[in-house]
Amino acid sequence: MTDTFSAMVIDTVDGKPRGAIRDLTKSELPDHDVLVEIAYSTLNYKDGLAISGKGKIARRMPMVGGVDLSGTVIESRSADWKPGDKVIVNGWGLSETEWGGYSRYQRLKPEWLIRLPEAFSLKQAMAIGTAGYTAALCVDALEKWGTIKPGQGEVLVTGAAGGVGSVAVALLAARGYVVTASTGRPETHDYLAALGATNFIDRATLQEKGGPLQKERWTGGVDSVGSTTLANALSQTVRGGAIAACGLAGGADLPGTVLPHILRSVTLIGVDSVMAPMEQRLSAWSRLARDLDTAKLDSMTTVEPMSKLPELADAILAGQIRGRVVIDVKG
Ligand SMILES: NC(=O)c1ccc[n+]([C@@H]2O[C@H](COP(=O)([O-])OP(=O)(O)OC[C@H]3O[C@@H](n4cnc5c(N)ncnc54)[C@H](OP(=O)(O)O)[C@@H]3O)[C@@H](O)[C@H]2O)c1
């Protein structure tokens, strides 16, 4: 029996980072305390940047890609974890500074692991992945801020048909918020309505530069697009409202003014999933276990083999992926 297994390894090719499937052995894995047999990983926007080399994500080479993983502990030098435990890891620098989930096995630090919630299978946990867990962090942040109220006012979700957006729509709708989905793909309206969106706007309208204080519409919002879209969302937010911003699918700039903040007390809440403290992670996963309908989750999920990652990376950067893609690391 061979002890080699496949992994998606990012390395420097012609001076640029590039991902390719390569054989590894367990002896090459980092010397962290918990060895996990990985069942699934996922495709996130950041994974697309890392594999295609269009973003400088990996900060040392060679790097095993994949910001997420779910699997089963098979060896542990930590008292907190034992063989047979089902676990999830999101972020913590996986695919940036630490080897990630596009591999049959990985060695991980015990403090990165979360126990798989009973509500989900290992596959469903990766259907959620970093995108879904980030959507939950955003909804947590908005509810903590306290201005959104079920049934009152509209909550905006931008990039709605993408990974963060799809889960945000489903989570907000489950809590009784009136969800307006901003999407550039009208063909996804039925899909988004099934997840719980009630109103739709064409994303192009949020991409046109608008005034600094526009008609007040959103009590809150989850933004994964950034740039002019986020500036307009802030300019259209009601007095005291808040937008949770986590993404830059439309650009990393923020071409707005301070006026919504200083004249309407609008708040921009920044959300980072990668280094979020454990308490916030557990809260987000509890929300997902409580509010995310697994039938809706399954409807937004496709499963693809690891060998298809190069083409999937290009597709997610082109905004062509609907919902969430689970990566089967055996394929
Ligand atoms: N802060 C964090 O910790 C964190 C965690 C996860 C993700 N993110 C970021 O969040 C963003 C979304 O991630 P994701 O995994 O959901 O990606 P995704 O599945 O590709 O979704 C992004 C969506 O944004 C919209 N979009 C794409 N290109 C656009 C453009 N040029 N202008 C306006 N809208 C555009 C599309 O939605 P429509 O077709 O519906 O318009 C697309 O489906 C990324 O920037 C990612 O890096 C951040």
Side-chain angles (χ1 to χ4, degrees):
M1 194 180 84
T2 170
D3 69 346
T4 63
F5 52 88
S6 298
M8 165 57 70
V9 179
I10 322 281
D11 215 335
T12 308
V13 180
D14 299 331
K16 286 191 168 166
R18 196 84 203 167
I21 301 288
R22 223 182 79 182
D23 279 349
L24 291 180
T25 61
K26 284 184 196 159
S27 62
E28 292 174 87
L29 297 176
D31 186 29
H32 296 320
D33 285 343
V34 186
L35 177 63
V36 172
E37 181 175 9
I38 299 174
Y40 298 100
S41 184
T42 75
L43 177 74
N44 294 283
Y45 193 87
K46 188 190 275 178
D47 297 311
L49 290 172
I51 295 163
S52 66
K54 289 184 181 139
K56 200 169 175 331
I57 303 299
R59 280 179 249 139
R60 61 184 177 87
M61 303 289 184
M63 174 58 62
V64 174
V67 307
D68 291 315
L69 62 88
S70 67
T72 306
V73 173
I74 53 172
E75 283 174 27
S76 173
R77 298 188 298 242
S78 158
D80 294 333
W81 302 101
K82 59 178 193 320
D85 287 343
K86 305 261 190 261
V87 296
I88 312 168
V89 182
N90 307 112
W92 294 119
L94 263 54
S95 87
E96 300 179 63
T97 52
E98 302 284 350
W99 281 16
Y102 293 153
S103 171
R104 193 78 182 94
Y105 298 94
Q106 195 53 271
R107 284 191 181 278
L108 300 145
K109 292 190 183 174
E111 62 268 29
W112 294 341
L113 308 185
I114 285 183
R115 216 165 284 282
L116 179 73
E118 275 178 23
F120 302 123
S121 65
L122 289 171
K123 192 195 281 182
Q124 286 168 330
M126 287 297 98
I128 294 165
T130 279
Y133 139 69
T134 302
L137 287 174
C138 289
V139 179
D140 265 5
L142 288 176
E143 287 200 331
K144 204 166 159 199
W145 192 250
T147 53
I148 56 172
K149 301 264 183 308
Q152 287 177 24
E154 287 176 88
V155 181
L156 174 69
V157 176
T158 65
V164 173
S166 295
V167 179
V169 168
L171 288 177
L172 288 161
R175 296 283 284 169
Y177 299 110
V178 178
V179 181
T180 297
S182 164
T183 179
R185 291 180 277 177
E187 68 275 18
T188 63
H189 285 192
D190 287 348
Y191 159 79
L192 290 165
L195 295 181
T198 42
N199 307 318
F200 298 93
I201 56 170
D202 184 339
R203 81 180 190 201
T205 62
L206 287 172
Q207 287 177 309
E208 281 166 28
K209 192 161 171 36
L213 289 172
Q214 299 169 41
K215 189 164 181 287
E216 294 177 45
R217 181 164 178 189
W218 320 116
T219 55
V222 174
D223 175 61
S224 61
V225 172
S227 192
T228 313
T229 299
L230 176 56
N232 279 324
L234 291 165
S235 300
Q236 295 167 8
T237 295
V238 304
R239 166 167 297 280
I243 303 287
C246 68
L248 42 60
D253 58 333
L254 182 50
T257 75
V258 296
L259 294 183
H261 311 293
I262 65 170
L263 296 180
R264 289 182 180 161
S265 296
V266 168
T267 296
L268 172 57
I269 306 175
V271 173
D272 166 47
S273 66
V274 176
M275 300 310 281
M278 189 50 82
E279 188 192 333
Q280 286 178 20
R281 291 168 185 262
L282 294 176
S283 169
W285 277 98
S286 300
R287 174 182 293 280
L288 289 157
R290 185 192 64 205
D291 291 345
L292 190 58
D293 177 338
T294 49
K296 286 184 180 171
L297 179 63
D298 294 345
S299 81
M300 63 174 95
T301 306
T302 50
V303 182
E304 298 286 2
M306 198 158 61
S307 56
K308 269 186 82 176
L309 275 170
E311 63 188 272
L312 292 166
D314 290 338
I316 198 164
L317 296 183
Q320 290 164 353
I321 299 288
R322 193 192 82 173
R324 297 282 300 140
V325 179
V326 170
I327 301 298
D328 183 347
V329 298
K330 294 183 287 303

